Amino acid sequence: MSTIKRILVTGGAGFLGSHICDRMVNAGHDVICLDNFFTSQKNNIAHLLEKPNFELIRHDITHPMWLEVDEIYNMACPASPVHYQYNPIKTMKVSVMGAINVLGMAKRCRAKVLQASTSEVYGDPTPEHHPQTEDYRGNVNPIGVRACYDEGKRAAETLFFDYHRSNGVNIRVVRIFNTYGPRMHPFDGRVVSNFIVQAIQNQDITIYGDGSQTRSFCYVDDLVNAIIAHMNNSDDFVGPVNIGNPGEFTIKQLAEKVIELTGSTSKIEYLPLPKDDPLQRKPDISLAKQKMDWEPKVPLEQGLIHTIDYFKSLNLAQFRKPTDHTAHKSSLASKV
Ligand code: NAD
Ligand code: UDP
């Protein structure tokens, strides 16, 4: 029997999706990358376009797709707070209607389908639920500005488990914690990209709040290893499973580390903390260790050095801000 699989990666031109496409193309699989290019540009997958086992489709997953595939990595969704809050109704549609569309297709094709869920399903964890384990039900503000993403991803998880229980769809669910690395959009507003882009231009580093809030940062290669391991894991364990690096840093520590590694003359500027910004976040990865024999290998400093090299290599003028509507006329990013 052929081991070559037909693999669909939704959001395949994005930061994480493009790394999954690389891995699948290099393994010899037939890869379909589907993206509407809301938060990405073709540069992330340009090197794959000439490969005979790579195909690119411009499509919005809120509309049904009709493809024949064996596996689906459902990565499509704006992931940075700036991007997902730009058009919150659309964000909710991407999570919910997108999940229904990929799950319907998985059901028809009998494909295995993996959902990129998020640590945001835990909302702003209470101190007694720190670090977060998968059985923590979360503390999400359902009417807050982050709810379009948090609740959208929670609803998507519900759909995945209902299709699994009711229709026997073979699912996998990963809850991804903050991940960074080459191919992040330089203007996505996320903390690692913001700080590095500011530092290499010797601009002020913008800390929101007093910088005492914490995050755990996972390097992209570690993350992609875990996602692929879970897709190939035994059908007895579908998740959800936390994936992230348990090293916990304050945002101020991150700013200082970026300044040190870039040798920048940037100063720190303190700006107001965005609403509902979680105070603490750190994954408990015991389940991933136990079920997938996985743990992250790349320390923050090493990952930041790779990421700094990547951002230094870019011509920033070639990037448009996905939220700059005048620069981006695509109806796919327009208001619903
Ligand atoms: P990204 O913004 O770089 O990639 C998302 C991709 O999805 C982009 O290429 C975008 O154009 C595409 N997309 C958006 N809406 C779409 C639509 N309606 N139809 C088709 N394509 C669409 O973000 P990322 O960091 O690569 O995140 C990928 C996935 O992982 C997302 O689902 C995100 O929620 C999840 N995730 C990421 C992180 C992280 O730290 N990177 C953390 C938690 C969860
Ligand atoms: N943050 C910051 N300065 C920035 C961008 C982000 O201080 O320029 C903070 C943000 O308020 C949050 C943390 O960094 O506390 C991580 O933000 P990010 O948008 O990367 O992801 P989140 O984990 O909040 O989804």
Side-chain angles (χ1 to χ4, degrees):
M1 227 173 74
S2 166
T3 51
I4 296 178
K5 290 179 276 197
R6 298 162 301 176
I7 296 178
L8 170 66
V9 185
T10 75
F15 164 44
L16 300 181
S18 63
H19 287 277
I20 295 174
C21 286
D22 273 353
R23 295 280 290 270
M24 295 299 127
V25 166
N26 291 339
H29 297 300
D30 259 330
V31 177
I32 302 173
C33 165
L34 182 147
D35 208 295
N36 72 348
F37 293 103
F38 171 36
T39 60
S40 57
Q41 297 182 191
K42 290 203 196 77
N43 53 302
N44 280 350
I45 39 103
H47 59 289
L48 296 174
L49 291 174
E50 298 305 318
K51 303 266 187 191
N53 57 336
F54 180 79
E55 196 177 341
L56 174 63
I57 300 176
R58 183 184 278 259
H59 182 79
D60 184 323
I61 59 158
T62 60
H63 300 286
M65 299 148 263
W66 193 274
L67 298 164
E68 308 300 327
V69 292
D70 303 305
E71 282 180 1
I72 306 168
Y73 291 85
N74 188 34
M75 309 304 293
C77 188
S80 124
V82 174
H83 292 167
Y84 68 65
Q85 288 170 29
Y86 168 69
N87 188 345
I89 298 165
K90 178 71 187 232
T91 299
M92 193 87 176
K93 285 185 177 179
V94 176
S95 279
V96 175
M97 294 162 72
I100 291 170
N101 288 330
V102 295
L103 285 161
M105 195 166 72
K107 180 181 167 191
R108 178 179 56 77
C109 303
R110 296 184 196 282
K112 203 192 303 183
V113 55
L114 177 143
Q115 168 65 358
S117 190
T118 170
S119 56
E120 289 281 322
V121 299
Y122 302 125
D124 190 4
T126 53
E128 57 275 20
H129 293 104
H130 190 78
Q132 291 84 60
T133 47
E134 289 83 352
D135 57 359
Y136 176 47
R137 303 272 172 90
N139 176 31
V140 173
N141 173 2
I143 56 168
V145 291
R146 292 173 85 105
C148 59
Y149 185 70
D150 302 5
E151 298 288 19
K153 290 284 189 180
R154 286 169 71 98
E157 284 199 13
T158 305
L159 284 161
F160 267 70
F161 277 86
D162 282 337
Y163 269 77
H164 179 58
R165 280 187 291 259
S166 306
N167 295 320
V169 174
N170 193 357
I171 62 161
R172 299 286 186 275
V173 176
V174 290
R175 289 182 180 155
I176 303 171
F177 285 65
N178 297 59
T179 303
Y180 69 99
R183 302 195 192 149
M184 293 182 90
H185 195 296
F187 303 124
D188 67 7
R190 286 189 263 198
V191 70
V192 173
S193 40
N194 258 16
F195 285 3
I196 295 178
V197 170
Q198 289 162 346
I200 61 183
Q201 298 181 105
N202 295 314
Q203 294 170 350
D204 285 352
I205 304 275
T206 53
I207 288 187
Y208 304 155
D210 62 6
S212 63
Q213 71 272 37
T214 69
R215 293 293 186 273
S216 298
F217 300 101
C218 187
Y219 188 64
V220 61
D221 290 355
D222 283 332
L223 195 281
V224 170
N225 285 342
I227 287 183
I228 295 171
H230 189 41
M231 180 64 114
N232 295 322
N233 217 346
S234 152
D235 289 347
D236 298 338
F237 177 66
V238 299
V241 60
N242 289 340
I243 311 182
N245 189 323
E248 185 182 6
F249 297 87
T250 66
I251 295 305
K252 185 149 185 247
Q253 285 173 322
L254 178 73
E256 287 163 352
K257 186 49 84 184
V258 169
I259 291 174
E260 175 198 322
L261 294 175
T262 50
S264 171
T265 57
S266 296
K267 301 275 173 291
I268 289 178
E269 181 188 15
Y270 291 91
L271 297 174
L273 190 67
K275 209 159 177 333
D276 290 341
D277 199 289
L279 285 177
Q280 271 188 312
R281 201 181 283 140
K282 171 183 159 106
D284 180 318
I285 58 164
S286 314
L287 196 60
K289 279 187 188 160
Q290 183 202 333
K291 299 284 189 184
M292 291 139 62
D293 194 22
W294 173 86
E295 61 185 316
K297 303 254 182 314
V298 183
L300 181 64
E301 181 159 324
Q302 192 185 325
L304 285 177
I305 290 170
H306 293 315
T307 313
I308 290 165
D309 287 346
Y310 168 74
F311 280 115
K312 278 186 174 165
S313 75
L314 296 180
N315 176 0
L316 294 177
Q318 284 177 348
F319 286 83
R320 59 169 168 73
K321 276 191 182 168
T323 50
D324 180 356
H325 193 50
T326 52
H328 182 39
K329 302 274 190 231
S330 164
S331 61
L332 296 167
S334 63
K335 299 278 178 186
V336 185

